[in-house]
CSV table of all heavy atoms in Angstrom, one decimal:
chain,number,residue,atom,x,y,z
A,493,SER,N,-14.3,22.5,-20.1
A,493,SER,CA,-15.4,23.2,-20.9
A,493,SER,C,-16.4,22.2,-21.5
A,493,SER,O,-17.4,22.7,-22.0
A,493,SER,CB,-14.8,24.2,-22.0
A,493,SER,OG,-14.1,23.4,-22.8
A,494,VAL,N,-16.0,20.9,-21.7
A,494,VAL,CA,-16.8,20.1,-22.3
A,494,VAL,C,-17.3,19.0,-21.3
A,494,VAL,O,-17.9,18.0,-21.7
A,494,VAL,CB,-16.2,19.2,-23.5
A,494,VAL,CG1,-15.8,20.3,-24.5
A,494,VAL,CG2,-15.0,18.4,-23.1
A,495,GLY,N,-17.2,19.3,-20.0
A,495,GLY,CA,-17.8,18.5,-19.0
A,495,GLY,C,-16.8,17.4,-18.5
A,495,GLY,O,-17.4,16.6,-17.7
A,525,LYS,N,-20.0,12.0,-12.4
A,525,LYS,CA,-20.4,12.4,-13.8
A,525,LYS,C,-19.3,12.5,-14.7
A,525,LYS,O,-19.3,12.0,-15.9
A,525,LYS,CB,-21.1,13.8,-13.6
A,525,LYS,CG,-21.7,14.3,-15.0
A,525,LYS,CD,-22.6,15.6,-14.8
A,525,LYS,CE,-22.9,16.2,-16.1
A,525,LYS,NZ,-23.9,17.3,-15.8
A,529,LEU,N,-18.9,10.3,-18.3
A,529,LEU,CA,-18.6,10.8,-19.5
A,529,LEU,C,-17.3,10.4,-20.1
A,529,LEU,O,-17.3,10.1,-21.3
A,529,LEU,CB,-18.6,12.4,-19.4
A,529,LEU,CG,-19.9,13.2,-19.1
A,529,LEU,CD1,-19.6,14.6,-18.9
A,529,LEU,CD2,-20.8,13.0,-20.5
A,532,LEU,N,-17.9,7.0,-21.5
A,532,LEU,CA,-18.8,7.1,-22.7
A,532,LEU,C,-17.9,7.5,-23.9
A,532,LEU,O,-18.2,7.0,-25.0
A,532,LEU,CB,-20.0,8.0,-22.6
A,532,LEU,CG,-21.1,7.5,-21.7
A,532,LEU,CD1,-22.2,8.6,-21.6
A,532,LEU,CD2,-21.6,6.3,-22.2
A,533,ILE,N,-16.9,8.4,-23.8
A,533,ILE,CA,-16.3,8.9,-25.1
A,533,ILE,C,-15.0,8.2,-25.3
A,533,ILE,O,-14.5,8.3,-26.4
A,533,ILE,CB,-16.1,10.4,-25.0
A,533,ILE,CG1,-15.2,10.7,-23.7
A,533,ILE,CG2,-17.4,11.2,-24.9
A,533,ILE,CD1,-14.2,11.7,-23.9
A,580,MET,N,-14.5,14.5,-31.9
A,580,MET,CA,-15.9,14.0,-31.8
A,580,MET,C,-16.1,13.7,-30.4
A,580,MET,O,-17.2,13.9,-29.8
A,580,MET,CB,-16.0,12.9,-32.7
A,580,MET,CG,-17.5,12.4,-32.8
A,580,MET,SD,-18.7,13.7,-33.2
A,580,MET,CE,-18.6,13.8,-34.9
A,581,ALA,N,-15.1,13.2,-29.6
A,581,ALA,CA,-15.2,12.7,-28.4
A,581,ALA,C,-15.6,13.9,-27.4
A,581,ALA,O,-16.5,14.0,-26.7
A,581,ALA,CB,-14.0,12.1,-27.7
A,582,LEU,N,-15.0,15.0,-27.7
A,582,LEU,CA,-15.2,16.3,-27.0
A,582,LEU,C,-16.6,16.7,-27.3
A,582,LEU,O,-17.3,17.2,-26.4
A,582,LEU,CB,-14.1,17.3,-27.3
A,582,LEU,CG,-12.7,17.0,-26.9
A,582,LEU,CD1,-11.7,18.1,-27.3
A,582,LEU,CD2,-12.5,16.6,-25.5
A,583,ILE,N,-17.0,16.7,-28.5
A,583,ILE,CA,-18.3,17.2,-28.9
A,583,ILE,C,-19.4,16.3,-28.2
A,583,ILE,O,-20.3,16.8,-27.7
A,583,ILE,CB,-18.5,17.3,-30.4
A,583,ILE,CG1,-17.5,18.2,-31.1
A,583,ILE,CG2,-20.0,17.5,-30.8
A,583,ILE,CD1,-17.5,18.2,-32.6
A,584,VAL,N,-19.2,15.0,-28.3
A,584,VAL,CA,-20.2,14.3,-27.7
A,584,VAL,C,-20.3,14.4,-26.2
A,584,VAL,O,-21.4,14.6,-25.6
A,584,VAL,CB,-19.9,12.6,-27.9
A,584,VAL,CG1,-20.7,11.7,-27.2
A,584,VAL,CG2,-20.0,12.3,-29.4
A,585,SER,N,-19.2,14.7,-25.6
A,585,SER,CA,-19.1,14.9,-24.2
A,585,SER,C,-19.9,16.1,-23.9
A,585,SER,O,-20.7,16.3,-22.9
A,585,SER,CB,-17.7,14.9,-23.6
A,585,SER,OG,-17.8,15.4,-22.3
A,586,TYR,N,-19.6,17.2,-24.7
A,586,TYR,CA,-20.3,18.5,-24.5
A,586,TYR,C,-21.9,18.3,-24.6
A,586,TYR,O,-22.5,19.0,-23.8
A,586,TYR,CB,-19.7,19.6,-25.5
A,586,TYR,CG,-20.3,20.9,-25.3
A,586,TYR,CD1,-19.8,21.6,-24.3
A,586,TYR,CD2,-21.4,21.4,-26.0
A,586,TYR,CE1,-20.3,23.0,-24.1
A,586,TYR,CE2,-21.8,22.6,-25.9
A,586,TYR,CZ,-21.4,23.4,-24.9
A,586,TYR,OH,-21.9,24.7,-24.8
A,587,ILE,N,-22.2,17.5,-25.5
A,587,ILE,CA,-23.7,17.3,-25.6
A,587,ILE,C,-24.3,16.4,-24.5
A,587,ILE,O,-25.4,16.7,-23.9
A,587,ILE,CB,-24.0,16.7,-27.1
A,587,ILE,CG1,-23.6,17.7,-28.1
A,587,ILE,CG2,-25.5,16.4,-27.1
A,587,ILE,CD1,-23.7,17.0,-29.5
A,588,ALA,N,-23.5,15.4,-24.2
A,588,ALA,CA,-24.0,14.4,-23.3
A,588,ALA,C,-24.0,14.9,-21.9
A,588,ALA,O,-24.9,14.5,-20.9
A,588,ALA,CB,-23.2,13.2,-23.3
A,589,LYS,N,-23.2,16.0,-21.6
A,589,LYS,CA,-23.2,16.5,-20.2
A,589,LYS,C,-24.6,17.2,-19.8
A,589,LYS,O,-24.9,17.1,-18.6
A,589,LYS,CB,-22.0,17.5,-20.0
A,589,LYS,CG,-22.3,18.8,-20.4
A,589,LYS,CD,-21.2,19.8,-20.1
A,589,LYS,CE,-21.4,21.2,-20.5
A,589,LYS,NZ,-20.4,22.0,-20.4
A,590,TRP,N,-25.4,17.5,-20.8
A,590,TRP,CA,-26.7,18.2,-20.5
A,590,TRP,C,-27.6,17.1,-20.1
A,590,TRP,O,-28.8,17.3,-19.5
A,590,TRP,CB,-27.3,18.9,-21.6
A,590,TRP,CG,-26.1,20.0,-22.1
A,590,TRP,CD1,-25.4,20.2,-23.2
A,590,TRP,CD2,-25.9,21.3,-21.4
A,590,TRP,NE1,-24.7,21.2,-23.2
A,590,TRP,CE2,-25.1,22.0,-22.1
A,590,TRP,CE3,-26.5,21.8,-20.1
A,590,TRP,CZ2,-24.5,23.2,-21.7
A,590,TRP,CZ3,-26.0,23.0,-19.9
A,590,TRP,CH2,-25.0,23.8,-20.6
A,591,PHE,N,-27.3,15.8,-20.5
A,591,PHE,CA,-28.4,14.8,-20.3
A,591,PHE,C,-28.1,13.9,-19.2
A,591,PHE,O,-29.0,13.2,-18.6
A,591,PHE,CB,-28.4,13.8,-21.6
A,591,PHE,CG,-28.9,14.6,-22.7
A,591,PHE,CD1,-28.0,15.0,-23.7
A,591,PHE,CD2,-30.3,14.7,-23.0
A,591,PHE,CE1,-28.6,15.8,-24.8
A,591,PHE,CE2,-30.8,15.3,-24.1
A,591,PHE,CZ,-29.9,15.8,-25.1
A,592,ILE,N,-26.9,14.1,-18.6
A,592,ILE,CA,-26.6,13.2,-17.4
A,592,ILE,C,-26.9,14.0,-16.2
A,592,ILE,O,-26.3,15.0,-16.0
A,592,ILE,CB,-25.2,12.7,-17.5
A,592,ILE,CG1,-25.0,11.7,-18.7
A,592,ILE,CG2,-24.9,11.9,-16.2
A,592,ILE,CD1,-23.7,11.4,-19.0
A,593,LYS,N,-27.8,13.5,-15.3
A,593,LYS,CA,-28.2,14.2,-14.2
A,593,LYS,C,-27.4,13.7,-12.9
A,593,LYS,O,-28.0,13.0,-12.1
A,593,LYS,CB,-29.7,14.1,-13.9
A,593,LYS,CG,-30.5,14.7,-15.1
A,593,LYS,CD,-31.1,16.0,-14.8
A,593,LYS,CE,-31.7,16.7,-16.0
A,593,LYS,NZ,-30.8,16.7,-17.1
A,799,TYR,N,-25.4,5.1,-30.0
A,799,TYR,CA,-24.9,6.4,-30.5
A,799,TYR,C,-23.7,6.3,-31.4
A,799,TYR,O,-23.7,7.0,-32.4
A,799,TYR,CB,-24.7,7.3,-29.3
A,799,TYR,CG,-23.2,7.7,-28.8
A,799,TYR,CD1,-22.5,8.4,-29.5
A,799,TYR,CD2,-22.8,7.0,-27.6
A,799,TYR,CE1,-21.1,8.7,-29.1
A,799,TYR,CE2,-21.6,7.2,-27.1
A,799,TYR,CZ,-20.7,8.0,-27.9
A,799,TYR,OH,-19.4,8.2,-27.4
A,803,LEU,N,-23.7,7.4,-35.3
A,803,LEU,CA,-22.9,8.4,-35.7
A,803,LEU,C,-22.0,7.9,-36.8
A,803,LEU,O,-21.7,8.7,-37.9
A,803,LEU,CB,-22.0,8.7,-34.5
A,803,LEU,CG,-21.1,10.0,-34.5
A,803,LEU,CD1,-22.1,11.2,-34.5
A,803,LEU,CD2,-20.3,10.0,-33.2
Side-chain angles (χ1 to χ4, degrees):
S493 65
V494 300
K525 179 168 175 177
L529 283 172
L532 283 182
I533 55 135
M580 188 53 85
L582 300 180
I583 296 175
V584 169
S585 170
Y586 184 77
I587 296 170
K589 80 172 181 187
W590 302 105
F591 294 97
I592 297 175
K593 300 258 172 302
Y799 99 77
L803 195 62

